[in-house]
């Protein structure tokens, strides 16, 4: 694709540093560039929005999401692993729109008001393969629920493909959401809560 070869994609300010630290740490679960670009665009559609990322990792997607948000929007990102999250903290915590939480995503979700977020990027097991209902419950009408890594990958454990199929089927038939699976980057699902 000429478009994607053109290197026309503008990078978020702190991304190069985050990617360098991510490599140094040997953290292999970071989001890809084309996932980031899509997240940035979707984040830009929520001026003044309340955004949530489950699974900060080293802050790769966090940096893309922040880059799309306007000055009034706020993002909370949560991870259980303080060591990887420390990279995001060093790179991004000066941005007052961002709150980094070290803790369990499912516990966090259970303590959020219903239909309170405009955008949820669920990039950890909780909120996706467990606690799907809890993650969907916090999405506002018109808000996004986004997941990636839906296309087959060589390092998947043997039973993971069936979990992915079950998740895709759950989303496709969910009466409260309009869902589009995209063969983009690692395989993305974009769902929007219906009014
Ligand atoms: C796929 S990685 C996140 C990648 C990151 N969003 C990015 O764009 O680079 C998944 C992350 O989920 C975190 N995680 C695992 N279990 C969790 C839990 N119960 N609650 C919150 N985060 C969790 C892992 O520590 C890991 O950093």
């Amino acid at each position: 694709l000429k478009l994607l070869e053109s290197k026309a994609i503008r990078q978020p300010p702190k991304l190069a540093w985050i990617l360098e630290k991510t490599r140094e740490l040997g953290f292999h679960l970071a989001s890809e560039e084309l996932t980031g670009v899509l997240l940035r665009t979707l984040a830009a559609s929520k001026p003044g929005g309340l955004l949530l990322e489950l699974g900060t990792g080293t802050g790769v997607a966090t940096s893309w999401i922040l880059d799309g948000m306007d000055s009034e929007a706020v993002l909370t990102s949560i991870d259980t692993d303080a060591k990887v999250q420390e990279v995001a903290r060093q790179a991004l915590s000066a941005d007052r729109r961002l709150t980094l939480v070290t803790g369990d995503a499912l516990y966090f979700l259970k303590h959020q008001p219903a239909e309170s977020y405009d955008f949820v990027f669920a990039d950890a097991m909780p909120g996706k393969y467990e606690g799907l209902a809890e993650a969907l419950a916090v999405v506002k009408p018109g808000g996004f629920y986004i997941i990636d890594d839906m296309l087959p990958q060589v390092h998947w454990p043997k039973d993971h493909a069936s979990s992915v199929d079950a998740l895709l089927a759950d989303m496709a038939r969910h009466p409260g959401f309009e869902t589009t699976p995209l063969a983009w980057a690692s395989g993305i699902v974009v769902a929007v809560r219906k009014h």
Side-chain angles (χ1 to χ4, degrees), residues 4-57:
L4 304 179
E5 288 166 8
S6 70
K7 300 284 178 215
I9 297 174
R10 177 175 42 82
Q11 305 287 303
K14 297 289 169 54
L15 182 62
W17 188 86
I18 292 172
L19 288 174
E20 191 188 316
K21 296 291 164 196
T22 302
R23 270 189 299 273
E24 281 173 25
L25 269 179
F27 181 74
H28 299 298
L29 301 172
S31 292
E32 342 184 334
E33 182 177 68
L34 292 180
T35 302
V37 165
L38 178 61
L39 291 170
R40 176 167 67 186
T41 299
L42 297 177
S45 77
K46 301 295 181 191
L50 207 54
L51 290 82
L52 177 63
E53 178 185 32
L54 307 173
T56 315

Side-chain angles (χ1 to χ4, degrees), residues 27 29-31 53 55-57 60-61 78-81 84 103-105 123-124 126:
F27 181 74
L29 301 172
S31 292
E53 178 185 32
T56 315
V60 172
I78 178 159
D79 204 296
T80 42
D81 186 338
V84 291
D104 176 54
D123 201 20

Side-chain angles (χ1 to χ4, degrees), residues 130-173:
E130 51 172 305
L132 176 65
E134 284 83 352
L136 295 179
V138 305
V139 180
K140 275 186 194 169
F144 290 118
Y145 171 80
I146 307 150
I147 49 180
D148 70 351
D149 297 330
M150 294 289 106
L151 286 170
Q153 294 168 22
V154 281
H155 65 266
W156 277 4
K158 214 170 74 191
D159 55 350
H160 190 62
S162 57
S163 305
V164 171
D165 284 347
L167 177 56
L168 289 170
D170 280 352
M171 288 310 302
R173 61 174 170 246

